Amino acid sequence: MLDIPVPVPSVRIGGRVYRLDRPVVVGRRPGPPRVVQGAAPQLVTVPSPGGVVSSSHVLFHAAGSTAVVDDLRATNGTVVRAPGAPPHRMPAGASMVVLTGTVVDIGDGATIEVLSPYLRSVPPGGRESSGPLPVPPPTPGPSRTPRERP
């Protein structure tokens, strides 16, 4: 039987792509959560010359093929800009499903872009992405024939 990978979203942080096959904690000096269920999170440090970014600011994880961002009670807040929508400040400690193309601003110029679950990413040292995953063929359904117009 062919093992087809489950589509998992990714995030782009500072030019690098991180696949959300395990959680990602982003901050000025990120640390792991006190309680870890499942895979240990990857810790991603971002510069914050003004000290605006909290030590552990946000956590990203996948829920199926959807990305979720959790504000980790960041001191200066987290702003989410979904495609075509105005910026939205997340309440402290809130969790939010985010769509492909959403940009999460954590301050001091540090932004995180949510990428499609169909983007293939590789481990550090490899290329940033190797292109989109193949889209599975549509499920066969009832055939439809166009009606003739009178």
PDB file of all heavy atoms in Angstrom, residues 1-8 19 120 133-134 136:
ATOM      1  N   MET A   1       0.842  -1.169   0.000  1.00  0.00           N
ATOM      2  CA  MET A   1       0.000   0.000   0.000  1.00  0.00           C
ATOM      3  C   MET A   1       0.889   1.235   0.000  1.00  0.00           C
ATOM      4  O   MET A   1       1.876   1.322   0.726  1.00  0.00           O
ATOM      5  CB  MET A   1      -0.919  -0.021   1.221  1.00  0.00           C
ATOM      6  CG  MET A   1      -1.832   1.165   1.294  1.00  0.00           C
ATOM      7  SD  MET A   1      -3.006   0.896   2.629  1.00  0.00           S
ATOM      8  CE  MET A   1      -4.366   1.745   1.940  1.00  0.00           C
ATOM      9  N   LEU A   2       0.540   2.225  -0.792  1.00  0.00           N
ATOM     10  CA  LEU A   2       1.294   3.464  -0.922  1.00  0.00           C
ATOM     11  C   LEU A   2       1.004   4.373   0.259  1.00  0.00           C
ATOM     12  O   LEU A   2      -0.152   4.599   0.614  1.00  0.00           O
ATOM     13  CB  LEU A   2       0.899   4.160  -2.229  1.00  0.00           C
ATOM     14  CG  LEU A   2       1.652   5.434  -2.564  1.00  0.00           C
ATOM     15  CD1 LEU A   2       3.139   5.142  -2.715  1.00  0.00           C
ATOM     16  CD2 LEU A   2       1.108   6.021  -3.845  1.00  0.00           C
ATOM     17  N   ASP A   3       2.053   4.863   0.912  1.00  0.00           N
ATOM     18  CA  ASP A   3       1.892   5.749   2.065  1.00  0.00           C
ATOM     19  C   ASP A   3       1.917   7.191   1.576  1.00  0.00           C
ATOM     20  O   ASP A   3       2.969   7.741   1.279  1.00  0.00           O
ATOM     21  CB  ASP A   3       3.018   5.493   3.067  1.00  0.00           C
ATOM     22  CG  ASP A   3       2.816   6.238   4.369  1.00  0.00           C
ATOM     23  OD1 ASP A   3       1.670   6.616   4.659  1.00  0.00           O
ATOM     24  OD2 ASP A   3       3.821   6.449   5.081  1.00  0.00           O
ATOM     25  N   ILE A   4       0.736   7.811   1.472  1.00  0.00           N
ATOM     26  CA  ILE A   4       0.618   9.186   0.991  1.00  0.00           C
ATOM     27  C   ILE A   4       0.649  10.112   2.199  1.00  0.00           C
ATOM     28  O   ILE A   4      -0.113   9.918   3.146  1.00  0.00           O
ATOM     29  CB  ILE A   4      -0.689   9.383   0.192  1.00  0.00           C
ATOM     30  CG1 ILE A   4      -0.668   8.461  -1.027  1.00  0.00           C
ATOM     31  CG2 ILE A   4      -0.857  10.837  -0.217  1.00  0.00           C
ATOM     32  CD1 ILE A   4      -1.938   8.456  -1.824  1.00  0.00           C
ATOM     33  N   PRO A   5       1.565  11.118   2.184  1.00  0.00           N
ATOM     34  CA  PRO A   5       1.647  12.020   3.330  1.00  0.00           C
ATOM     35  C   PRO A   5       0.373  12.859   3.468  1.00  0.00           C
ATOM     36  O   PRO A   5      -0.236  13.256   2.490  1.00  0.00           O
ATOM     37  CB  PRO A   5       2.851  12.911   3.025  1.00  0.00           C
ATOM     38  CG  PRO A   5       3.062  12.799   1.555  1.00  0.00           C
ATOM     39  CD  PRO A   5       2.495  11.469   1.129  1.00  0.00           C
ATOM     40  N   VAL A   6      -0.008  13.078   4.706  1.00  0.00           N
ATOM     41  CA  VAL A   6      -1.175  13.914   4.992  1.00  0.00           C
ATOM     42  C   VAL A   6      -0.755  15.363   4.794  1.00  0.00           C
ATOM     43  O   VAL A   6       0.301  15.778   5.272  1.00  0.00           O
ATOM     44  CB  VAL A   6      -1.653  13.682   6.442  1.00  0.00           C
ATOM     45  CG1 VAL A   6      -2.775  14.625   6.807  1.00  0.00           C
ATOM     46  CG2 VAL A   6      -2.062  12.238   6.635  1.00  0.00           C
ATOM     47  N   PRO A   7      -1.552  16.167   4.085  1.00  0.00           N
ATOM     48  CA  PRO A   7      -1.198  17.573   3.911  1.00  0.00           C
ATOM     49  C   PRO A   7      -1.182  18.304   5.251  1.00  0.00           C
ATOM     50  O   PRO A   7      -2.129  18.206   6.028  1.00  0.00           O
ATOM     51  CB  PRO A   7      -2.304  18.131   3.013  1.00  0.00           C
ATOM     52  CG  PRO A   7      -3.038  16.951   2.475  1.00  0.00           C
ATOM     53  CD  PRO A   7      -2.793  15.822   3.420  1.00  0.00           C
ATOM     54  N   VAL A   8      -0.071  18.980   5.532  1.00  0.00           N
ATOM     55  CA  VAL A   8       0.094  19.722   6.774  1.00  0.00           C
ATOM     56  C   VAL A   8       0.506  21.141   6.404  1.00  0.00           C
ATOM     57  O   VAL A   8       1.406  21.326   5.584  1.00  0.00           O
ATOM     58  CB  VAL A   8       1.179  19.072   7.665  1.00  0.00           C
ATOM     59  CG1 VAL A   8       1.428  19.890   8.923  1.00  0.00           C
ATOM     60  CG2 VAL A   8       0.782  17.658   8.037  1.00  0.00           C
ATOM     61  N   ARG A  19       7.384  23.233   8.703  1.00  0.00           N
ATOM     62  CA  ARG A  19       6.199  22.401   8.512  1.00  0.00           C
ATOM     63  C   ARG A  19       5.559  22.142   9.873  1.00  0.00           C
ATOM     64  O   ARG A  19       6.258  21.842  10.839  1.00  0.00           O
ATOM     65  CB  ARG A  19       6.623  21.089   7.847  1.00  0.00           C
ATOM     66  CG  ARG A  19       5.498  20.265   7.345  1.00  0.00           C
ATOM     67  CD  ARG A  19       6.034  19.192   6.392  1.00  0.00           C
ATOM     68  NE  ARG A  19       4.927  18.512   5.792  1.00  0.00           N
ATOM     69  CZ  ARG A  19       4.462  17.340   6.215  1.00  0.00           C
ATOM     70  NH1 ARG A  19       5.046  16.718   7.210  1.00  0.00           N
ATOM     71  NH2 ARG A  19       3.438  16.787   5.622  1.00  0.00           N
ATOM     72  N   ARG A 120       5.405  21.595  -0.052  1.00  0.00           N
ATOM     73  CA  ARG A 120       6.335  20.624   0.507  1.00  0.00           C
ATOM     74  C   ARG A 120       7.518  21.379   1.072  1.00  0.00           C
ATOM     75  O   ARG A 120       8.118  22.199   0.389  1.00  0.00           O
ATOM     76  CB  ARG A 120       6.836  19.701  -0.599  1.00  0.00           C
ATOM     77  CG  ARG A 120       6.498  18.277  -0.360  1.00  0.00           C
ATOM     78  CD  ARG A 120       7.215  17.420  -1.341  1.00  0.00           C
ATOM     79  NE  ARG A 120       6.328  17.164  -2.458  1.00  0.00           N
ATOM     80  CZ  ARG A 120       6.677  16.502  -3.531  1.00  0.00           C
ATOM     81  NH1 ARG A 120       7.889  16.057  -3.675  1.00  0.00           N
ATOM     82  NH2 ARG A 120       5.811  16.300  -4.492  1.00  0.00           N
ATOM     83  N   LEU A 133       2.665  19.773  -3.405  1.00  0.00           N
ATOM     84  CA  LEU A 133       2.360  18.348  -3.427  1.00  0.00           C
ATOM     85  C   LEU A 133       1.365  18.089  -4.544  1.00  0.00           C
ATOM     86  O   LEU A 133       0.564  18.966  -4.872  1.00  0.00           O
ATOM     87  CB  LEU A 133       1.721  17.918  -2.106  1.00  0.00           C
ATOM     88  CG  LEU A 133       2.646  17.832  -0.907  1.00  0.00           C
ATOM     89  CD1 LEU A 133       1.818  17.590   0.350  1.00  0.00           C
ATOM     90  CD2 LEU A 133       3.630  16.701  -1.079  1.00  0.00           C
ATOM     91  N   PRO A 134       1.385  16.914  -5.115  1.00  0.00           N
ATOM     92  CA  PRO A 134       0.391  16.624  -6.138  1.00  0.00           C
ATOM     93  C   PRO A 134      -1.008  16.622  -5.517  1.00  0.00           C
ATOM     94  O   PRO A 134      -1.201  16.176  -4.396  1.00  0.00           O
ATOM     95  CB  PRO A 134       0.780  15.232  -6.641  1.00  0.00           C
ATOM     96  CG  PRO A 134       1.712  14.682  -5.636  1.00  0.00           C
ATOM     97  CD  PRO A 134       2.280  15.826  -4.860  1.00  0.00           C
ATOM     98  N   PRO A 136      -4.603  15.146  -5.184  1.00  0.00           N
ATOM     99  CA  PRO A 136      -5.190  13.847  -5.505  1.00  0.00           C
ATOM    100  C   PRO A 136      -6.294  14.000  -6.540  1.00  0.00           C
ATOM    101  O   PRO A 136      -6.963  15.032  -6.586  1.00  0.00           O
ATOM    102  CB  PRO A 136      -5.753  13.358  -4.169  1.00  0.00           C
ATOM    103  CG  PRO A 136      -5.761  14.531  -3.267  1.00  0.00           C
ATOM    104  CD  PRO A 136      -4.834  15.557  -3.842  1.00  0.00           C
TER     105      PRO A 136
END
